Amino acid sequence: MKKTSIALGSGGARGLAHIGVLRALKDDGDYQISSIAGSSIGALVGGLYAANKMDDYADWVSNLSLGDIWKLLDFSYSRVGLFKGDRIMDRLAELVGDTQIEELNLPFSAVATDIQKREEVWITRGSMFDAIRASIAIPGFFTPEHRKGRLLVDGGLLSPLPMTPMLYHDAEFNVVVSLNGNTSQTAADLPDKIPAAEHPNKLIQWFQQTRQSLGLTGETQSNNDSVVDIFAQSVEAMQDRIARYQLAAFEPDLLIEVPVDACGILDFHRGAEMIELGYELTMKALKNKR
């Protein structure tokens, strides 16, 4: 088997496709994951894989409803973020426990962004969950993580494709998973069971559906010009441009691209679909590689 280093990119709920990617590489039989780097959701899935706990997480997230997701979002009532993220991380701790990165069976790196120094921060030691918490701290949504005097936010801000560690790992094969694939890969190009989302950033619509599922009254209006839609589209446009520069500087042996319109960034209730999508895309990519 080929010693394989894998970089798992950022992109919200689309990152659940990373689970399918990792399962497909394992099922193929020709690849042994020897190191993992992750940004944002990629750090979450990659860390759980490295700790041999990914399947537990996959079982949990595959059964989440819109109401379950809403209940996991704890409002911070502060000026630095809508949500604290404590409920999500507490729930993950219940599922998989905590561990130190240096105790893992393979090298793992989580990328975060030092918002004050405007630089990437690679976390390779200490609590895995603290590293993940920093890497998923989307500015404006989750409160930043304080670590060793630094104020850390989502790694995807500066490194949507965390490929730098690959330069330091002794791997025979490098795999990169991007969650910002071309929107031309519409429903006709996806596996039959995976419906493409109508719009990748309908966060307002997501909140409205969630409120209705909980029996809450009141309507919120959704349109393509909503402040939340514009914010989400702006972040994804920025990440797409940075990712293109990263791929121009470093060409992996295998690039797997999940379409940006596969689902919205907070559509975690579509976990089972995204996992299947990642699996199918990886098997197709491996077949084309041969």
Side-chain angles (χ1 to χ4, degrees), residues 12-32:
R14 290 192 302 279
L16 298 176
H18 290 322
I19 297 173
V21 172
L22 291 165
R23 286 178 172 174
L25 289 171
K26 179 180 179 181
D27 288 350
D28 182 84
D30 288 340
Y31 305 92
Q32 178 186 5

Side-chain angles (χ1 to χ4, degrees), residues 103-115:
E103 295 175 354
L104 300 173
N105 293 324
L106 51 79
F108 168 73
S109 304
V111 63
T113 299
D114 185 324
I115 197 65

Side-chain angles (χ1 to χ4, degrees), residues 126-225:
S127 168
M128 184 180 73
F129 278 96
D130 287 347
I132 292 172
R133 174 67 180 84
S135 190
I136 67 171
I138 304 173
F141 281 88
F142 293 111
T143 53
E145 176 77 3
H146 293 270
R147 179 184 173 89
K148 296 182 179 180
R150 293 187 170 210
L151 192 64
L152 303 181
V153 297
D154 194 289
L157 209 61
L158 294 181
S159 186
L161 295 180
M163 299 186 291
T164 303
M166 289 180 167
L167 302 175
Y168 303 95
H169 295 151
D170 182 23
E172 303 171 70
F173 197 78
N174 293 316
V175 177
V176 172
V177 186
S178 170
L179 303 179
N180 291 289
N182 293 331
T183 57
S184 59
Q185 300 181 60
T186 55
D189 303 304
L190 300 180
D192 293 339
K193 296 181 181 179
I194 311 297
E198 293 181 0
H199 190 284
N201 299 308
K202 292 288 190 178
L203 304 188
I204 293 292
Q205 180 180 352
W206 180 85
F207 278 113
Q208 180 175 331
Q209 292 174 338
T210 303
R211 285 167 56 83
Q212 292 174 349
S213 72
L214 294 175
L216 300 177
T217 59
E219 294 282 333
T220 56
Q221 298 299 317
S222 176
N223 59 68
N224 291 341
D225 296 322

